[in-house]
Amino acid sequence: QVQLVESGGVLVQAGGSLRLSCVASGDTFTNYAMAWFRQAPEKERKFVAAISKTGLFTHYSDSVKGRFTISRDDAKNTAYLQMNTLKPEDTAVYYCYADHTVLSAAEGLGDSWGQGTQVTVSS
């Protein structure tokens, strides 16, 4: 099973930008579609973005479409989430997730999760 480690979460001002990274190990990275989810305090974990195994297909939640970009670097076994024009409502713990199809990655029903990284956006 793949292991995932996120990094890059910090405190940032509204309107700023941030890039999160998710490094995978323990299995062949290109076997997995990748996704990002987030969980705000006292709220359910929600889908943010997903990318296919080939990187050719991406999918975003309406709340981040046009502001966030998901990408992957297979040579580095790393998925990224570039976040621009950040808003206070983007404050959450961001989790990386891996699954075998982009549709299943967007559902997040499996076990391959990272430990999360905290993003805080101040107003």
Side-chain angles (χ1 to χ4, degrees):
Q1 185 173 346
V2 66
Q3 288 83 50
L4 304 171
V5 178
E6 303 96 331
S7 63
V10 293
L11 171 65
V12 62
Q13 288 189 333
S17 297
L18 199 58
R19 188 177 79 163
L20 305 182
S21 299
C22 171
V23 178
S25 63
D27 202 347
T28 304
F29 185 60
T30 51
N31 285 344
Y32 295 91
M34 301 298 296
W36 289 93
F37 288 72
R38 65 186 182 186
Q39 186 168 19
E42 299 182 359
K43 294 190 176 180
E44 292 184 352
R45 189 176 299 184
K46 292 187 177 180
F47 169 76
V48 174
I51 188 167
S52 63
K53 295 178 189 179
T54 62
L56 294 178
F57 179 79
T58 56
H59 176 52
Y60 298 91
S61 68
D62 288 342
S63 61
V64 306
K65 197 173 295 182
R67 299 189 298 123
F68 290 11
T69 302
I70 189 171
S71 63
R72 61 189 297 155
D73 185 337
D74 293 342
K76 295 182 178 180
N77 291 347
T78 302
Y80 301 99
L81 185 68
Q82 177 67 43
M83 304 186 293
N84 298 329
T85 319
L86 282 161
K87 305 175 181 180
E89 51 264 43
D90 294 319
T91 294
V93 177
Y94 283 72
Y95 294 91
C96 182
Y97 174 75
D99 214 319
H100 291 291
T101 71
V102 68
L103 292 179
S104 59
E107 292 178 343
L109 297 178
D111 299 326
S112 298
W113 293 92
Q115 83 290 347
T117 186
Q118 176 71 49
V119 173
T120 304
V121 184
S122 63
S123 57

